[in-house]
Amino acid sequence: AAHEALIAEVEATYVPPEPAPATPTVCSPAQGLVALFAIKQITESDVTATIAAITDPVLRYTSQIAFARATEWRRDSVSIQQLSALLGLTESDLDALFEFAVKVAV
């Protein structure tokens, strides 16, 4: 009986830990650009030059449109993945970028 009472007491007082907050995966382009500069000193001009250097014309145009017209940056989008690779960003850089970006008030 003492064992059952102890189990009941533990169950009654147990508070599950808060889940770790998920890494943000969406930000505005303005937030993303500020974060790129703050974290990696990459400017909008650097991004534009990187896109202009893409040799495949369809990929270059797709990247230009995605960068110029996107209303949000999604971490899992093909364009963000390709651009981050071209800019030399790692997966942890992307995590840091989105974590920083969502806190930027622009």
Side-chain angles (χ1 to χ4, degrees), residues 33-88:
L33 285 168
V34 171
L36 267 177
F37 185 75
I39 292 172
K40 289 292 191 176
Q41 291 68 57
I42 295 172
T43 65
E44 184 173 9
S45 298
D46 296 330
V47 175
T48 303
T50 299
I51 291 170
I54 297 172
T55 55
D56 179 279
V58 174
L59 182 56
R60 181 176 58 247
Y61 185 72
T62 301
S63 297
Q64 287 169 338
I65 294 300
F67 182 67
R69 304 288 174 107
T71 57
E72 62 185 13
W73 285 7
R74 293 189 160 278
R75 191 187 188 293
D76 61 351
S77 78
V78 172
S79 296
I80 290 294
Q81 291 294 319
Q82 289 174 338
L83 194 53
S84 65
L86 291 171
L87 293 169

Side-chain angles (χ1 to χ4, degrees), residues 82-99:
Q82 289 174 338
L83 194 53
S84 65
L86 291 171
L87 293 169
L89 302 177
T90 65
E91 289 297 311
S92 50
D93 289 338
L94 278 175
D95 286 343
L97 181 129
F98 278 89
E99 286 171 9

